[in-house]
């Protein structure tokens, strides 16, 4: 794991702490995933501001552009077809695939439909494909912070579960 990846994992952990401290109502009341993702994005941006390494990049929510085109990946079922994708949170340089840093997908633990998000992160992080995100994270949110699961994707593969550093 390189230094930027370590920083990003740390930022994500801090962001999760912030969400669970300040937005616990949304999690306890089983609010929509989008409302939780939005709050996650707010704290993620705030926590990234402490790192000069990422100041020239943009954080976007459900960003579906690839330059002027629509961001698409192969369908999970029929790999010959394409489907539009909307990554939950990304850190990237807009307008190019040359500086795609991290793609994050969040799911509530009550949502068992995960295959599409796994496939999306595999394709977004695959260095043989066009997007080439350095790392992808799949975060399974629970009502309790200590039960959050984070899975890491690198080069098109789910490579590990990131330890859940609860502060």
């Amino acid at each position: 794991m390189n230094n930027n990846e370590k920083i990003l994992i740390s930022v994500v952990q801090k962001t999760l702490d912030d969400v669970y401290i300040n937005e616990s109502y949304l999690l306890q009341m089983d609010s929509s995933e989008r409302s939780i993702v939005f709050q996650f994005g707010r704290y993620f941006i705030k926590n990234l501001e402490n790192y000069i390494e990422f100041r020239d990049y943009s954080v976007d929510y459900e960003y579906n552009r690839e330059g002027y085109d629509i961001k698409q990946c192969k369908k999970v079922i029929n790999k010959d077809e394409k489907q539009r994708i909307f990554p939950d949170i990304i850190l990237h340089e807009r307008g190019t695939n040359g500086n795609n840093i991290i793609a994050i997908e969040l799911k509530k633990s009550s949502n068992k439909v995960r295959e599409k998000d796994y496939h999306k992160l595999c394709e977004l992080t695959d260095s043989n494909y066009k997007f080439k995100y350095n790392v992808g994270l799949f975060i399974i949110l629970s009502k309790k912070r200590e039960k959050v699961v984070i899975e890491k994707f690198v080069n098109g593969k789910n490579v590990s579960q990131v330890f859940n550093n609860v502060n």
Side-chain angles (χ1 to χ4, degrees):
M1 186 177 333
N2 66 38
N3 193 48
N4 281 349
E5 194 175 312
K6 287 179 187 175
I7 291 169
L8 288 169
I9 298 293
S10 170
V11 167
V12 166
Q13 295 287 7
K14 170 72 172 113
T15 299
L16 286 166
D17 291 341
D18 291 343
V19 168
Y20 276 86
I21 289 167
N22 300 308
E23 310 300 336
S24 62
Y25 179 84
L26 296 174
L27 296 151
Q28 296 305 315
M29 298 309 293
D30 203 26
S31 292
S32 76
E33 229 165 71
R34 286 183 179 181
S35 66
I36 298 165
V37 169
F38 173 78
Q39 296 301 330
F40 180 94
R42 283 187 39 224
Y43 292 107
F44 185 66
I45 290 167
K46 178 180 147 269
N47 292 327
L48 272 177
E49 289 174 354
N50 297 321
Y51 298 94
I52 194 165
E53 300 93 319
F54 304 112
R55 287 202 179 134
D56 293 334
Y57 297 99
S58 298
V59 174
D60 285 305
Y61 162 77
E62 291 203 359
Y63 190 78
N64 72 333
R65 305 314 292 171
E66 181 189 354
Y68 290 103
D69 297 324
I70 293 172
K71 193 174 288 225
Q72 297 180 349
C73 72
K74 297 174 195 160
K75 278 194 173 180
V76 176
I77 310 279
N78 183 350
K79 301 214 185 286
D80 294 329
E81 293 181 31
K82 300 274 186 173
Q83 72 181 24
R84 293 171 19 167
I85 57 172
F86 303 85
D88 287 340
I89 302 282
I90 56 175
L91 176 65
H92 67 134
E93 181 182 342
R94 290 180 186 148
T96 178
N97 282 327
N99 289 308
N100 289 334
I101 308 301
I102 189 169
I104 302 172
E105 290 292 328
L106 294 107
K107 279 281 183 247
K108 296 187 309 185
S109 59
S110 60
N111 186 341
K112 302 298 182 197
V113 179
R114 300 179 181 160
E115 183 182 4
K116 288 181 184 177
D117 288 325
Y118 281 153
H119 177 76
K120 187 185 324 179
L121 286 169
C122 286
E123 197 159 321
L124 288 171
T125 61
D126 190 338
S127 62
N128 294 316
Y129 198 59
K130 59 186 168 185
F131 301 116
K132 298 179 176 83
Y133 281 85
N134 296 338
V135 65
L137 295 180
F138 185 76
I139 302 172
I140 303 169
L141 302 166
S142 182
K143 290 188 177 188
K144 296 184 180 203
R145 171 66 174 100
E146 62 271 9
K147 295 199 178 216
V148 170
V149 175
I150 304 171
E151 297 178 37
K152 184 171 79 169
F153 290 74
V154 175
N155 200 21
K157 294 183 175 60
N158 183 337
V159 295
S160 68
Q161 183 172 326
V162 176
F163 291 105
N164 188 2
N165 299 335
V166 180
N167 292 333

